[in-house]
Amino acid sequence: MAATAIDTLERFSPLVGDRFELRLDDGSTCSAALVEAKALQAPLFQGRQPFSLLFEGPPQPLLPQRIYRVSHPQLDAIDIFLVPVGRTQSAAQYEAIFN
């Protein structure tokens, strides 16, 4: 299922701290923790507050910017465009923006 208007900050906020599975091109998965879900200072879009999600995954491999199928036990699998935004020795960070 692609990201839709039901993808809201309220849907993701309770899941901060939880792990999500990202499906990779070869069919394998990579686990990433949702570490932040925050409102963006932007005008409402079709009645929805724009927001961002920040995930932390393993430092290697650094995943490229693209759409990933993301799943969580409490959500349907959804397609999310993730952008690598930071990296330390222990983690890589990926951001998704929902306008």
Side-chain angles (χ1 to χ4, degrees):
M1 168 168 121
T4 65
I6 63 169
D7 293 323
T8 63
L9 180 59
E10 292 76 19
R11 183 177 185 206
F12 286 97
S13 291
L15 304 177
V16 170
D18 286 3
R19 299 208 67 84
F20 288 70
E21 294 296 320
L22 285 61
R23 177 139 329 262
L24 307 180
D25 286 338
D26 65 3
S28 64
T29 60
C30 174
S31 179
L34 178 61
V35 296
E36 181 180 83
K38 68 176 183 178
L40 297 177
Q41 298 302 314
L44 295 181
F45 178 74
Q46 297 180 350
R48 180 183 71 193
Q49 172 66 54
F51 66 99
S52 68
L53 302 177
L54 186 66
F55 293 92
E56 279 191 353
Q60 295 291 332
L62 181 63
L63 302 176
Q65 169 180 302
R66 71 174 186 83
I67 296 172
Y68 291 90
R69 174 61 50 122
V70 177
S71 59
H72 181 276
Q74 295 178 15
L75 302 175
D76 292 331
I78 59 173
D79 295 332
I80 300 179
F81 186 76
L82 294 175
V83 176
V85 294
R87 188 184 207 179
T88 65
Q89 289 184 345
S90 61
Q93 293 185 323
Y94 303 93
E95 185 178 46
I97 302 288
F98 291 81
N99 291 320

